[in-house]
Every structure is written in structure tokens, then in C-alpha cells.
Amino acid sequence: MKDSAETPPDPTELLVCTKCRRGRTEPGDDRWPGQVLFDALEALPLPEGVRLTPVECLQNCDHGCTVALRGGARWTYVFANVDEVVGAAMILDGAAQYHAQPDGLIPWRERPEHFKRNCVARIPPLEAPNV
Amino acid sequence: MKDSAETPPDPTELLVCTKCRRGRTEPGDDRWPGQVLFDALEALPLPEGVRLTPVECLQNCDHGCTVALRGGARWTYVFANVDEVVGAAMILDGAAQYHAQPDGLIPWRERPEHFKRNCVARIPPLEAPNV
């Protein structure tokens, strides 16, 4: 008999736009803000079940830095205006909360304030996976 | 031997936010703008391979009406600021162009002007489907 309590949830993917310029015409320390954010995230311990994926342009260029969360049967979420210096830990906390929800819907009151105010879009899970 | 030329492309899904208010505090003809857009799309012949899906809130509420395109191994795209009265035909033309691209990347010069200026976000295809 399969015990669902022992089944780990589907993995969560944290996508980070590494080309984000966030209004700059030149990078800072030779890195664009998006790369600074990605490096900051990579330097921290990732929550269990969350993996990090660099993406060259999530095309939210006017409101970067931008990240997306997806995985399994969860809604995909896109969040904008992430501070590349101080935002990494907040994003990982939010990613852990997202990962804990089978549908990716973090209860509103528990949602990070940044997630509440900077959701660019959400996309429903595929109704019929593998089709 | 499988002839790839005879294999139809994976279906494309056109998602429409039916709850979009686009700044209104009351619906127009008893319908919210997002529903008006959905109804307009439903009344037109859909391009081959494109199916229409209503979604209750894509959470791009400040820049509606909003639609998304996804399907198969294509990038997912989210487009904002769609006019619910005159925008439907343009969206379907764009959906047909999107469907024709295995990766969903419509060449820039061929891309509808609205798609060029109102892309909210794009999300890469899953690298390992079914994982």
C-alpha cells in the first residue's frame, strides 16, 4: 500500500533571469543585476526540493530583477522587482513555502509581502500532464 | 519509419483571464472585460492546433486584459493590455504564429506589434518533460 505521507512532493524550480539590467546601462561589478541575484541565490543553501535554474531573459525587462517558480502540479508564478542584493533570502523563504503547497498557492496571509505586491503573472498547472 | 513532416505539432493552449477588470469597478454589459475578451475569442474560428482555456485570474491585474500561450516544448508567453473589444483577432493571429514555432519563439520582425510591446513574462519549456 502506498503511503502518500512518505512520497516527497514534486520538485520546485526557481528560475532566475540572469540578463536582467534593471534599468542599468552598465553592469555593476562586471555583472548585471540579474547575475548578481543568481549568484546570491546560488551562495545560499537551497530549501529541500528546490532547484535553481538560470534563464537568459524572462522578458519582464521593465520590472526586473525577475524570478519564476514552477514544478509538478503547482501554478507557475512570476515575481518582479526583486532586489539583487538583499532579496535572495526572501526569495528562498518564499520558494520553500511554495514548495510546501501541492498547488503552489501560498495562503495569502502567509505569503511574503514582496510576493503579494510584485506578482507579474501566474499560470495554471497543465490539466492533463504529459499531453 | 516515422516521418516527422507528418507529425502534427503539439497543441497550443491560449489561456485567457476571464476575471480581468482592467481598472473597472463595475462590469460593462454585465461582463468583466476579461469575460468580454474570452467571449470574443470563443466566437471566432480558432487556428488549427490552438485551444482556448478560461482562467480565473492570471494575476496581472494592473495591466489587463491578459492572455498566455503555452504548449508542448514551447516557451510560455504572457501578454498584457489586450483590448477586449478589438484585440481578439490579433491574439488569434499571434497564437497561430506561436503554434507554428516548435519553441514558440516568433521571429521578432514577424511578431505582432502588440506582442513586442506587451510581453509581461516568458518562461522556458521544461528541460525534462514528465519529471
Side-chain angles (χ1 to χ4, degrees):
Chain A
M1 188 178 132
K2 189 177 178 183
D3 183 350
S4 64
E6 292 178 7
T7 306
D10 287 324
T12 286
E13 191 174 12
L14 170 60
L15 303 146
V16 183
C17 181
T18 57
K19 288 288 174 100
C20 181
R21 302 182 172 209
R22 201 175 37 69
R24 301 186 78 137
T25 53
E26 293 193 10
D29 54 355
D30 295 327
R31 297 175 299 168
W32 292 111
Q35 187 66 50
V36 173
L37 175 60
F38 180 82
D39 293 347
L41 289 164
E42 205 172 32
L44 291 170
L46 291 178
E48 188 176 332
V50 177
R51 68 167 187 262
L52 192 61
T53 303
V55 180
E56 292 196 0
C57 199
L58 291 167
Q59 281 191 8
N60 181 40
C61 309
D62 290 340
H63 303 282
C65 299
T66 297
V67 303
L69 286 166
R70 71 172 171 192
R74 302 178 188 89
W75 285 68
T76 295
Y77 276 84
V78 185
F79 299 108
N81 301 311
V82 180
D83 186 295
E84 73 272 20
V85 177
V86 302
M90 174 275 294
I91 290 296
L92 293 183
D93 285 347
Q97 288 179 278
Y98 172 89
H99 181 68
Q101 303 294 335
D103 58 5
L105 305 182
I106 307 170
W108 184 257
R109 292 186 179 187
E110 299 169 19
R111 206 169 289 193
E113 285 301 317
H114 190 90
F115 282 21
K116 290 183 183 174
R117 292 195 301 269
N118 294 276
C119 180
V120 172
R122 66 173 195 169
I123 300 158
L126 291 170
E127 282 186 28
N130 312 335
V131 169
Chain B
M1 186 177 131
K2 189 176 178 183
D3 182 349
S4 64
E6 291 179 8
T7 306
D10 287 322
T12 286
E13 191 173 13
L14 170 58
L15 304 146
V16 183
C17 182
T18 57
K19 288 287 173 97
C20 183
R21 301 180 171 211
R22 200 174 41 68
R24 299 186 79 134
T25 53
E26 293 192 10
D29 54 355
D30 294 327
R31 296 174 299 168
W32 293 111
Q35 187 66 51
V36 173
L37 175 61
F38 181 82
D39 292 347
L41 288 164
E42 204 172 33
L44 292 170
L46 292 177
E48 188 175 332
V50 176
R51 70 168 185 261
L52 192 59
T53 303
V55 181
E56 290 197 1
C57 197
L58 291 167
Q59 281 191 10
N60 181 42
C61 310
D62 290 338
H63 304 281
C65 299
T66 297
V67 303
L69 287 166
R70 70 174 173 191
R74 301 178 189 88
W75 285 68
T76 295
Y77 275 84
V78 184
F79 298 108
N81 301 311
V82 179
D83 186 294
E84 72 272 20
V85 177
V86 302
M90 174 276 294
I91 291 295
L92 293 183
D93 285 346
Q97 288 179 278
Y98 173 88
H99 181 69
Q101 303 294 334
D103 59 4
L105 306 181
I106 307 170
W108 185 256
R109 292 187 180 186
E110 298 168 21
R111 204 170 290 193
E113 285 301 317
H114 190 89
F115 282 20
K116 290 182 184 176
R117 292 194 302 268
N118 295 278
C119 180
V120 172
R122 67 171 193 170
I123 299 157
L126 291 171
E127 282 186 26
N130 312 336
V131 169

